[in-house]
Amino acid sequence: MAFGSVIGSWMDHHTRKRGIMTVLIINNTNSQSLLWHILYVTCIVLSIITCSFGCLASEMEKMAFTKDWIVVITKKDDSSLSAANAWMKTIDLSSSVVSPLTAGYIINSISYRFACMIFIIWNLISVFMEAYIIIRVYNAVPELATREPSFSPGEGTEAKCCKKCPNFIQRTIGKWLTLFYMYYQQNVFPAAFGLTLLYMTVLGFDGIAIGFAKSQGLSALWLGILRSIGAAFGILGAYLYSLIETHSSARKSGFIGLTAQHLALYICAASIWLPGSPFDPITYFREITFAIWWRQLQDSFIFIRSKNQSETGSNDIDWSTWTSNGHSIISAFILLIGIAVARLGLYMADLSISQIMQETVPERERNTVFGVQDSIAQFFSVLKDILTIIVPDPKTFGTLIIISILFVFSGFLCFCYYLLTVRFDLKFGINRKITSLENTITKKDTLRFSLK
């Protein structure tokens, strides 16, 4: 969250090869600290820290290739950027279909320790495979070795903080503010910011929703299956995006995607009141005290192995009654189905807004802008985690679902505002903050990208 924009700016000031190889090595090697520590607490702390660096590097690696490299490659081959983006997303999601099933099977079949070892070994092997492929692509496209002169904070308008602050703080905060101001100046800012609002949600296949579903009786295997179904809907969304963009525009595809996502999330809202739902916030807030909340927070860091279950805690589901150990799983199952269906619209919107940013953000600012975009997205993701810590009980999960839907709706409104500004500019011939890349787009192309 804090360093995404800074790393994006750093990548704009260095060659593409050096940038992506640096984040690749950090991404794949920071998951290996578990091998070198014996003490449990030390291991957990170091794993969290190195995992944070690994996640940051992973995001930067993905950003460099899917937001910057792909634009240069499609220009050289004179191919469709939307088709390339869709194929990239399809490849990414295809791996998401296989990996949850594989991981779920491994975790259910063997102990956590051996499963962790398998994942670590795979990370070590994959770093060499990825590096080889990246170098081959870089050498095959000479245009990747050149870029427009990069923007340096201090050129033009530079944001400044309070003059009473020390010089070091002024320079650091001033640089960050300058990067965020550069992001704000982009034409696509309303749509891009709307996309970041979608990260303030528990309605995704991350640890929060998965943990809630597991607490309601779903096994790791079925969680993996449902995650794979979500990835399949994402692949379908990528295909529909490419199809709609080819025959209409990226903006219309984004509008359809956000609408579809928002409607699908009402399935999640309905799950709050279905059989098996633990939703009861009134009772929770009536009984909760700070002492109880603090004790629950401390207990969440304690790992207790049940003597009556296997190490992985598998659950037997009776599909005739849709129960697991006597508890109805209808609510949790419908919740994950709604999340899976919403993937279709989500990835349509993601690809649409990303392509609009690729086409409008100047090359010399591309990594910086996408880095700031990722930082804001991670801020909302952390905000979601904080809300989950504040109200961690399953009885209040329905409240988090409602808040998530409201944020998704806010993102939809931001995108609608962006569409209105585009139509207004085209209607009255306003040319606001046009970038160098936009100047190459003809009036016919501009009208094609507008939502009719």
Side-chain angles (χ1 to χ4, degrees):
M1 179 180 71
F3 298 104
S5 57
V6 177
I7 294 179
S9 178
W10 178 84
M11 294 178 72
D12 274 334
H13 287 76
H14 295 81
T15 63
R16 290 185 172 94
K17 182 178 180 180
R18 180 180 179 184
I20 199 168
M21 291 302 294
T22 300
V23 295
L24 169 65
I25 294 173
I26 295 175
N27 174 31
N28 288 74
T29 57
N30 269 286
S31 60
Q32 322 311 329
S33 65
L34 189 60
L35 292 173
W36 311 106
H37 301 89
I38 300 176
L39 297 177
Y40 177 75
V41 175
T42 304
C43 178
I44 291 295
V45 172
L46 290 176
S47 295
I48 292 174
I49 294 174
T50 55
C51 182
S52 299
F53 282 107
C55 290
L56 174 62
S58 177
E59 289 297 324
M60 295 300 103
E61 179 187 353
K62 183 183 296 185
M63 179 194 73
F65 197 84
T66 61
K67 311 301 184 187
D68 182 30
W69 284 41
I70 196 68
V71 179
V72 179
I73 294 173
T74 52
K75 278 185 180 179
K76 176 181 180 296
D77 296 337
D78 196 25
S79 55
S80 170
L81 179 59
S82 62
N85 283 330
W87 272 109
M88 292 286 294
K89 183 63 70 174
T90 300
I91 294 172
D92 182 32
L93 292 174
S94 297
S95 64
S96 298
V97 173
V98 178
S99 59
L101 290 173
T102 306
Y105 176 79
I106 292 174
I107 293 174
N108 269 341
S109 301
I110 61 178
S111 66
Y112 285 127
R113 180 176 301 175
F114 286 106
C116 185
M117 291 293 294
I118 291 175
F119 299 147
I120 289 175
I121 292 173
W122 172 249
N123 265 298
L124 288 173
I125 296 175
S126 63
V127 65
F128 297 102
M129 299 170 58
E130 290 182 53
Y132 173 76
I133 295 173
I134 288 172
I135 292 174
R136 286 289 302 272
V137 173
Y138 185 85
N139 293 333
V141 184
E143 289 80 1
L144 290 172
T146 60
R147 65 162 76 240
E148 294 179 5
S150 58
F151 173 86
S152 297
E155 297 178 2
T157 303
E158 180 176 356
K160 297 181 180 179
C161 65
C162 177
K163 294 182 179 180
K164 296 182 180 180
C165 297
N167 291 334
F168 171 75
I169 297 179
Q170 287 191 37
R171 289 194 301 270
T172 303
I173 297 180
K175 181 178 180 179
W176 272 343
L177 292 177
T178 301
L179 298 178
F180 278 86
Y181 182 73
M182 183 192 303
Y183 171 75
Y184 171 75
Q185 285 290 94
Q186 304 300 321
N187 287 345
V188 74
F189 167 74
F193 183 74
L195 183 62
T196 63
L197 291 175
L198 305 186
Y199 284 77
M200 212 331 280
T201 176
V202 297
L203 302 177
F205 286 109
D206 55 8
I208 297 176
I210 294 298
F212 170 78
K214 194 169 185 178
S215 71
Q216 300 304 301
L218 289 179
S219 65
L221 179 60
W222 273 102
L223 292 174
I225 292 174
L226 290 170
R227 292 182 69 177
S228 297
I229 293 174
F233 271 101
I235 293 173
L236 179 60
Y239 171 76
L240 291 177
Y241 156 76
S242 179
L243 185 66
I244 295 174
E245 195 279 336
T246 301
H247 294 86
S248 181
S249 69
R251 293 185 175 93
K252 179 175 287 187
S253 177
F255 179 81
I256 295 174
L258 284 171
T259 303
Q261 181 198 12
H262 191 67
L263 293 177
L265 292 182
Y266 285 121
I267 300 175
C268 302
S271 71
I272 298 175
W273 292 277
L274 291 178
S277 173
F279 184 62
D280 190 7
I282 297 177
T283 301
Y284 173 78
F285 287 111
R286 183 186 299 139
E287 298 176 351
I288 195 67
T289 63
F290 179 79
I292 296 175
W293 176 85
W294 182 251
R295 186 170 63 253
Q296 291 176 346
L297 181 63
Q298 291 177 317
D299 292 342
S300 65
F301 291 94
I302 301 175
F303 179 77
I304 301 176
R305 183 177 300 174
S306 174
K307 297 181 180 179
N308 298 323
Q309 290 183 320
S310 65
E311 187 178 25
T312 56
S314 60
N315 300 307
D316 295 326
I317 298 177
D318 183 1
W319 292 107
S320 62
T321 58
W322 285 73
T323 59
S324 174
N325 299 325
H327 178 75
S328 176
I329 62 169
I330 294 178
S331 175
F333 197 86
I334 295 300
L335 170 67
L336 294 185
I337 288 294
I339 294 175
V341 175
R343 301 292 94 179
L344 184 147
L346 172 63
Y347 286 112
M348 288 181 65
D350 179 45
L351 287 168
S352 170
I353 297 174
S354 295
Q355 178 171 336
I356 296 172
M357 294 178 69
Q358 288 170 330
E359 292 174 336
T360 58
V361 177
E363 179 183 347
R364 66 191 181 99
E365 301 174 359
R366 194 174 294 146
N367 284 312
T368 301
V369 171
F370 276 105
V372 175
Q373 169 88 356
D374 184 71
S375 295
I376 299 176
Q378 294 305 318
F379 166 78
F380 284 113
S381 180
V382 171
L383 180 61
K384 168 252 302 180
D385 295 333
I386 293 174
L387 286 177
T388 306
I389 293 173
I390 295 174
V391 283
D393 197 276
K395 294 179 182 178
T396 61
F397 193 76
T399 305
L400 298 179
I401 292 176
I402 296 173
I403 294 175
S404 300
I405 294 176
L406 292 176
F407 268 86
V408 172
F409 182 66
S410 299
F412 173 72
L413 292 180
C414 288
F415 189 78
C416 290
Y417 172 76
Y418 166 71
L419 295 178
L420 291 175
T421 59
V422 170
R423 290 181 64 88
F424 183 83
D425 292 351
L426 290 174
K427 181 177 180 179
F428 295 98
I430 298 176
N431 188 23
R432 66 173 79 180
K433 296 180 291 187
I434 297 299
T435 64
S436 59
L437 184 56
E438 283 178 299
N439 286 329
T440 64
I441 302 177
T442 63
K443 184 175 181 180
K444 180 179 179 181
D445 293 330
T446 305
L447 291 174
R448 173 179 171 269
F449 286 127
S450 65
L451 179 64
K452 299 179 180 180

